[in-house]
Amino acid sequence: MSAGTGPAWLEIARRDLLIAFRRRAEAANPLVFLLIVAALFPLGVGPAPQELSRIAPGVVWVAALLASLLSTDMLFRSDFDDGSLEQIVRSPSPLYATALAKMAVHWLVSGCPISLVSPVVAGLLYLPAAAMPALLFSMLLGTVTLSLVGGIGAALTVGLRKGGLLLSLLILPLYVPVLVFGSAAVDAAAHGLPWHSELAILGGFALLAVTLAPLAAAAALRINLDS
Amino acid sequence: MTVVWSFLHKLGSPRWFYRISSQWLPWLSFLAVGLLAWGCTWGLAYAPPDAVQGNSFRIIYIHVPAAFVSLAGYYAMAGAGVVSLVWRIKLADVALRAGAGVGAAMTFCALVTGSIWGKPTWGTWWVWDARITSMLVLLFLYLGVMALYEAFESRETAARACAVLSLVGTVNIPIIYKSVDWWYSLHQPATIRLTGAPTMHPDMFHPLVVTILGFYLLYLVLLLLRMRAEVLEREQKSRWVEDLALGRGLAAEPGG
C-alpha cells in the first residue's frame, strides 16, 4: 500500500477498494447467492410463467436484501480482527467520515453489482421488460440504504464472535421500508404505472441513511472498542 | 437545575431506587389493578355490543391498550437508552433491559389478542393487515434489542449497544409504520374492514380510556418489578442486599 497523502477517509476507501479488488472471487459470492435464491423459487413455487412474473418483483428484492445482508457481516470484521479498526477509531480524523467511506465501498463492491445483476435474475423469473429500468434504478438507490443500515448492524456486532445470525435479526426489520417501496416501484412498472414517486422515496431513504447511519455506526464502533 | 441534578444523582443509586420503588409499588399496583378491573367490567359487561361485530369487539379493551403501551414502551426504552449513553447512569441500563422484555411481552399480547379478534371478524387467525404487520415488525425490533443484549458479556457494553440500536429503531419506527400503511393500501384485499363504524360511540370509548390508563400503569408496575429483580442481581455482593436477604430490612442511606 502506498503512503497515505489524502484525508484519512479517502485513504481508507482506497485501501478497502484495493483489498476488495485483490479478493475478487469473494465479491462474486453475493451475486451467486442472489442467483441461487432466485432459482429456488421456481423449484418451490412451480415453473408457471404467470405465477413467477407476478411474484418476481418481491422475490428479486428479497433475494437482493439477503445477498446484501450476507456481505454486510464482513464490513468491519476483518479490520476488527487485525486491529486496524482500533487505530481507525483512535485516530483524530472523524470516525463519521471513515465509517461512511467504508460503507460506501461496501456498496460499491456489493450493492452496486447486485443491482446490475438483478435484471438478469428478474429475467429468469419472467419479469416484463418494461419493469427492468424500474428494477435497476430502485435497486441502485435502495441498496445504498441497505449498505448503510446494514453497516450500523455490522458495527454493533463487530466485537461478537457469532455476529452473523444476530446481525440478520437486528437488521432485517429495519430493511422493511426499502423492501416495500423497492418492490412497489417494480410492481408499478410491471403494470405500466408510473414509478417515479417510489423512486423518489427510496432516494429520500438513502439521503436520510447517508446522514444518520454513519453517526450510529461510529457510536457503535466506539462502544465495541471501548470495552 | 440543582433539583434535577440531585434527582439524577439519586437515580444513580440502585439502593435508593430499590427503597423508593418499594414505597411506590403497592400504590401503583393497586391503581393498575383497580383501573383494569373497572375498565374491563365496564367494557365487557356494560358497554353496548357493536352493531356489526356483536360482542366480539369487546377484546378491544385488551388489544388496543396493549398496542398503545407496546409502542410507547419502545420510546420509553429508547429514552432510557439516551440517558444511559449521555449520563452513563446504571439504572438506565437496567430500565433499558427491563423495558425491552416488558415491551416485547406487551407487543406479543397485542398480536395474540389481534389474532383472536381476527378469527370471528375476518374468519382467519392471521391477516396481513397494516397495523398487525407493523406490530409484528415492532416485535422483531424488540427481540433484536433483547438478543443483542444477551450477546454481550459485559453488561455496560450490552446496554450501550442496545441504546444505539433502540435509537436507530426510533428513527425507523415512523418510517416503517408509514411504509407498511402504504403497502397495505396498495395491496388491500377488498373483503376486509377493520371496524364496522369509523368512530366509536362514547359508551364504548370511555371504558377504553380507563383500560388504556390501566395498561400504562400495569406496564410501569411490571417494569419496576423487573428492574428491582435486576438491581438485586447486579448488587448481590453489596451490603444492603445482604441485609435485605437476611431480613434486616432496608435502612435509609447514610446522608441520603
Side-chain angles (χ1 to χ4, degrees):
Chain A
M1 196 176 118
S2 60
T5 47
W9 62 268
L10 194 64
E11 287 306 318
I12 283 167
R14 191 177 293 165
R15 187 196 70 138
D16 278 9
L17 273 176
L18 190 67
I19 291 174
F21 180 72
R22 289 195 179 143
R23 296 183 190 154
R24 288 184 288 279
E26 236 170 71
N29 287 351
L31 304 180
V32 178
F33 178 82
L34 178 72
L35 200 63
I36 292 176
V37 170
L40 288 177
F41 275 86
L43 291 171
V45 177
Q50 298 92 346
E51 185 82 1
L52 286 175
S53 93
R54 198 176 56 79
I55 63 170
V59 169
V60 176
W61 259 101
V62 170
L65 226 68
L66 296 175
S68 165
L69 182 79
L70 202 71
S71 57
T72 303
D73 190 35
M74 288 308 286
L75 188 49
F76 298 107
R77 178 66 43 90
S78 59
D79 279 353
F80 181 80
D81 287 343
D82 66 16
S84 52
L85 192 62
E86 195 153 344
Q87 304 303 319
I88 292 171
V89 170
R90 297 274 180 268
S91 81
S93 61
L95 191 52
Y96 180 95
T98 31
L100 184 57
K102 286 189 81 70
M103 290 161 160
V105 171
H106 176 262
W107 178 78
L108 272 179
V109 299
S110 76
C112 188
I114 287 172
S115 309
L116 296 177
V117 169
S118 61
V120 180
V121 177
L124 288 177
L125 297 171
Y126 306 108
L127 187 74
M132 290 305 176
L135 179 67
L136 182 64
F137 289 116
S138 67
M139 278 276 173
L140 280 172
L141 270 177
T143 46
V144 172
T145 314
L146 298 188
S147 282
L148 286 156
V149 174
I152 302 174
L156 279 170
T157 55
V158 71
L160 301 170
R161 194 137 311 155
K162 286 175 280 184
L165 194 60
L166 181 65
L167 177 69
S168 50
L169 217 70
L170 305 185
I171 291 307
L172 281 177
L174 302 176
Y175 279 176
V176 166
V178 177
L179 173 66
V180 165
F181 283 97
S183 53
V186 183
D187 216 31
H191 289 98
L193 299 167
W195 43 275
H196 297 101
S197 56
E198 285 86 346
L199 209 64
I201 290 170
L202 283 175
F205 289 160
L207 281 179
L208 189 69
V210 166
T211 330
L212 293 181
L215 266 182
L221 287 177
R222 285 219 170 82
I223 289 166
N224 264 299
L225 288 167
D226 276 354
S227 64
Chain B
M1 256 338 253
T2 46
V3 178
V4 176
W5 281 118
S6 81
F7 182 69
L8 278 177
H9 181 69
K10 274 185 181 169
L11 260 185
S13 152
R15 180 177 169 177
W16 177 85
F17 166 77
Y18 197 86
R19 196 164 54 84
I20 208 79
S21 62
S22 304
Q23 291 167 9
W24 290 355
L25 258 179
W27 295 101
L28 285 173
S29 313
F30 178 75
L31 262 176
V33 172
L35 278 175
L36 282 176
W38 177 28
C40 285
T41 318
W42 190 3
L44 295 185
Y46 295 101
D50 186 77
V52 179
Q53 301 180 19
N55 280 324
S56 71
F57 95 97
R58 292 182 198 276
I59 200 168
I60 198 175
Y61 297 113
I62 305 294
H63 173 72
V64 169
F68 259 61
V69 173
S70 56
L71 190 57
Y74 197 92
Y75 282 89
M77 182 178 75
V82 172
V83 173
S84 158
L85 279 178
V86 176
W87 289 294
R88 304 266 181 114
I89 293 175
K90 273 189 194 151
L91 208 58
D93 297 0
V94 176
L96 178 83
R97 188 188 182 194
V102 179
M106 286 288 177
T107 317
F108 186 71
C109 180
L111 275 173
V112 169
T113 50
S115 164
I116 294 171
W117 194 2
K119 186 65 182 161
T121 317
W122 298 328
T124 58
W125 292 106
W126 183 264
V127 168
W128 288 98
D129 166 71
R131 275 176 273 190
I132 297 179
T133 312
S134 308
M135 270 290 141
L136 189 65
V137 177
L138 184 66
L139 181 66
F140 293 155
L141 289 176
Y142 271 123
L143 292 180
V145 173
M146 289 166 75
L148 186 66
Y149 192 98
E150 299 305 325
F152 283 96
E153 301 211 336
S154 139
R155 278 186 184 133
E156 203 185 335
T157 318
R160 295 178 64 208
C162 286
V164 171
L165 181 64
S166 54
L167 282 177
V168 173
T170 44
V171 175
N172 262 282
I173 281 180
I175 300 176
I176 292 173
Y177 266 64
K178 276 290 147 200
S179 52
V180 170
D181 255 2
W182 186 83
W183 159 81
Y184 182 65
S185 63
L186 196 73
H187 295 274
Q188 186 175 23
T191 48
I192 289 168
R193 285 189 66 194
L194 191 64
T195 48
T199 52
M200 281 182 94
H201 191 269
D203 284 350
M204 294 176 179
F205 184 63
H206 291 152
L208 186 60
V209 175
V210 176
T211 52
I212 287 174
L213 277 176
F215 256 80
Y216 271 109
L217 284 169
L218 179 68
Y219 173 83
L220 205 60
V221 168
L222 293 176
L223 187 75
L224 286 177
L225 283 174
R226 275 184 76 100
M227 284 175 69
R228 281 160 61 87
E230 181 154 342
V231 161
L232 283 186
E233 197 191 324
R234 281 175 176 232
E235 303 284 317
Q236 54 185 326
K237 301 238 168 64
S238 71
R239 186 67 187 276
W240 67 268
V241 177
E242 194 188 325
D243 282 352
L244 204 68
L246 294 174
R248 287 189 210 130
L250 193 61
E253 246 170 302

